[in-house]
Amino acid sequence: MRLSVLTDETTSPERQRDADDIAASALNIDFGEGDGLREAVDLDVSASKISPFDRPQLGGWLARPDEFDALVWWRFDRAIRSMGDMHELAKWAKAHRKMLVFAEGIGGGDSSSTSATPWTP
C-alpha cells in the first residue's frame, strides 16, 4: 500500500488492503497474518519522487525476492508513476520470476469487479 498524502480518503490504506485481499484470494495468494503478515505500507511516500526500490517498506521486500512469489497493488498508480520505474520493476519481476498483480483500475479489474489481473513480465 502506498499513499502520497496520508489524509487522501480516496486511496485509504483500508480500501487498498480490502482490494488487495480480494485479489489475493482470487489468485490463491496468501499474505500471512499476525507476525507473519507480508505487506509493505509506505504512507506519505510519493511514487513520483521515490522509486519502488527506494521506498522504506516496499524497497525492503524487493531486496528479499526469495521470500514471496507475487506483488499485489490496489491500482497501477500505487506501484509506480513513471514509465522508467515501470520498466525497472518489470525487469526486476522478470529476473526474479515474480507476478505483479493490480487489483483494480488500470492493469486490473474495475471497481465493480472482484477479479484481479496478474501480469508476469
Side-chain angles (χ1 to χ4, degrees):
M1 292 176 280
R2 186 196 59 76
L3 289 177
S4 295
V5 180
L6 186 55
T7 60
D8 186 354
E9 294 176 14
T10 62
T11 57
S12 71
E14 296 80 17
R15 183 174 175 183
Q16 290 184 48
R17 184 175 284 119
D18 289 345
D20 292 348
D21 287 345
I22 291 168
S25 178
L27 296 169
N28 294 317
I29 296 170
D30 181 9
F31 292 138
E33 46 186 66
D35 290 340
L37 182 63
R38 295 181 307 267
E39 74 174 0
V41 181
D42 289 317
L43 304 179
D44 273 340
V45 174
S46 171
S48 298
K49 298 176 183 174
I50 302 174
S51 89
F53 300 94
D54 295 329
R55 293 183 199 151
Q57 289 198 14
L58 179 59
W61 281 105
L62 295 174
R64 304 185 314 270
D66 295 339
E67 296 182 21
F68 59 93
D69 296 320
L71 293 166
V72 180
W73 285 277
W74 173 40
R75 293 188 327 213
F76 196 78
D77 67 344
R78 300 299 91 195
I80 57 95
R81 287 288 178 124
S82 77
M83 292 309 296
D85 284 346
M86 186 66 239
H87 177 73
E88 292 303 316
L89 186 60
K91 283 191 333 184
W92 176 91
K94 183 175 183 178
H96 295 286
R97 302 178 52 91
K98 303 302 173 192
M99 179 172 47
L100 306 178
V101 178
F102 303 99
E104 297 179 8
I106 297 173
D110 60 39
S111 60
S112 64
S113 172
T114 59
S115 65
T117 301
W119 180 64
T120 306

